Amino acid sequence: MQTINSIKEMQTFSNREMGEGKTIALVPTMGFFHPGHLSLMEEGRRRGDFLVVSIFVNPTQFGAGEDYEDYPRDMERDQKLAEETGVDVIFTPPVDEMYPSDYQTCVNVEEVTRNLCGISRPAHFRGVTTVVCKLFSIVKPSFAIFGEKDFQQLVAIRQMVSDLNIDVKIVGMPIYREEDGLALSSRNKYLTPDERKAALCLFRSLMRAKELFRQGERKTEEILSEVMSIIKAEQLAEIDYVKICDVKTLKDIEQINQETVLALAAKIGKTRLIDNIILNPSDCI
Ligand code: AMP
């Protein structure tokens, strides 16, 4: 496995592989790997001849007062895990190469980024789509693998790729969970033991929603009020949003007649966590 720190070197590398007719799979990450990241890498391994994993804690997707400085980082451990998972190249560009002082361009996906996390993190998705667009033009992957854990991010990236005619296949991978249901996240590291226990209310609330849905409930108001009451019963939890939206437009809906995502964000102590499940009437036929 090779670690590449410079954009130019990464481009030279990708051009050479493509010249030899090889396909590249890319897994963009912010590092501090957990098994969710590794499941994306395994999929990348299956898809492409060559697997590139980028590690870049992207400053432009963090808002003021968010955890950019504190975001967990452990390059040595990440390199070891990536190598064991069969990664060919780790790409870790420096911030000042990605965003030199005269940097001026951003990619903004307008509609699907407005709702959900876009409400409390208004500049977040612009930062994400900009950096992912840059990574695509540097690495030139045929496949790029993303987790459904960040559902809105995945929808925004699919939209960007379609709108800008970027020639890459976007592959979404299911949420990887701890045995007790907590969705894996690099930010789980921030949780104290009490908060870790409290965080389970999120998965519990989603499972209750699924149960109601399977029993035939289709009114979002009814499902959301149960979900919120489960989370509110947990003292350490503070809801940012709980919503049921169309999977493609991410607009709120009132009655579930199509495939929807129940997405939520909540603070557990100081740590903001997100999670989601799909509610699809055609799964119940
Ligand atoms: P991050 O390093 O948090 O930016 O995540 C990098 C990629 O891993 C993104 O595509 C995430 O959606 C994905 N990811 C993060 N957590 C999980 C998880 N628990 N299961 C599956 N994919 C995940």
Side-chain angles (χ1 to χ4, degrees):
M1 189 182 77
Q2 232 181 302
T3 299
I4 295 181
N5 306 114
S6 108
I7 292 175
K8 191 85 220 128
E9 203 185 318
M10 186 69 243
Q11 283 172 320
T12 306
F13 185 94
S14 289
N15 289 341
R16 196 180 60 229
E17 294 306 321
M18 287 170 68
E20 289 175 8
K22 301 258 173 67
T23 57
I24 297 171
L26 170 67
V27 179
T29 80
M30 298 205 297
F32 206 70
F33 295 152
H34 53 63
H37 292 117
L38 304 184
S39 72
L40 270 53
M41 293 175 207
E42 276 154 15
E43 182 62 17
R45 183 71 289 152
R46 287 189 283 272
R47 297 271 178 168
D49 298 321
F50 234 85
L51 175 57
V52 177
V53 174
S54 60
I55 300 181
F56 183 65
V57 183
N58 175 35
T60 65
Q61 71 188 67
F62 289 80
E66 292 185 357
D67 57 343
Y68 174 65
E69 299 293 342
D70 297 335
Y71 195 83
R73 294 160 167 92
D74 190 340
M75 187 56 79
E76 235 172 77
R77 179 174 162 275
D78 284 353
Q79 279 174 317
K80 192 164 166 287
L81 287 170
E83 183 145 35
E84 285 166 8
T85 315
V87 171
D88 295 301
V89 170
I90 287 199
F91 175 48
T92 59
V95 173
D96 59 357
E97 259 201 57
M98 288 293 269
Y99 303 111
S101 57
D102 64 343
Y103 191 85
Q104 309 183 26
T105 304
C106 62
V107 177
N108 194 32
V109 178
E110 300 279 343
E111 294 289 334
V112 296
T113 60
R114 280 199 219 287
N115 200 0
L116 303 171
C117 289
I119 297 172
S120 54
R121 305 185 77 191
H124 172 67
F125 290 109
R126 189 178 57 205
V128 170
T129 43
T130 300
V131 81
V132 170
C133 188
K134 283 171 67 69
L135 289 169
F136 286 172
S137 47
I138 296 165
V139 177
K140 295 182 265 295
S142 300
F143 305 93
I145 329 294
F146 294 88
E148 288 169 359
K149 154 106 181 332
D150 299 86
F151 195 85
Q152 189 172 16
Q153 166 173 291
L154 179 57
V155 173
I157 287 164
R158 285 193 199 282
Q159 188 68 42
M160 171 184 81
V161 162
S162 164
D163 290 349
L164 299 183
N165 310 102
I166 303 176
D167 196 7
V168 56
K169 180 169 172 52
I170 303 299
V171 179
M173 290 294 288
I175 300 178
Y176 200 106
R177 298 180 180 279
E178 301 274 14
E179 252 176 41
D180 61 7
L182 182 70
L184 292 188
S185 162
S186 305
R187 290 189 169 100
N188 291 351
K189 180 187 192 295
Y190 300 143
L191 301 171
T192 65
D194 281 348
E195 288 168 351
R196 171 66 183 74
K197 272 187 222 141
L200 269 187
C201 70
L202 304 181
F203 182 65
R204 236 185 7 255
S205 75
L206 292 176
M207 289 303 97
R208 176 67 184 137
K210 190 143 233 171
E211 185 179 48
L212 288 170
F213 182 71
R214 285 211 184 105
Q215 288 165 358
E217 184 59 75
R218 294 291 180 268
K219 283 201 211 76
T220 61
E221 205 185 309
E222 298 297 323
I223 297 176
L224 294 179
S225 87
E226 284 240 13
V227 168
M228 286 195 280
S229 72
I230 291 170
I231 301 174
K232 280 180 183 158
E234 181 48 69
Q235 277 196 347
L236 294 172
E238 191 194 327
I239 295 174
D240 176 358
Y241 65 77
V242 183
K243 284 171 173 250
I244 297 179
C245 301
D246 178 84
V247 281
K248 291 214 176 70
T249 64
L250 298 187
K251 293 212 164 103
D252 296 348
I253 57 158
E254 287 179 6
Q255 185 81 19
I256 308 175
N257 299 319
Q258 71 259 55
E259 190 177 5
T260 60
V261 58
L262 193 175
L264 58 80
K267 276 199 165 163
I268 307 291
K270 290 200 175 87
T271 306
R272 186 175 182 280
L273 299 180
I274 56 172
D275 203 343
N276 69 78
I277 49 166
I278 299 294
L279 299 176
N280 188 355
S282 57
D283 291 343
C284 299
I285 295 167

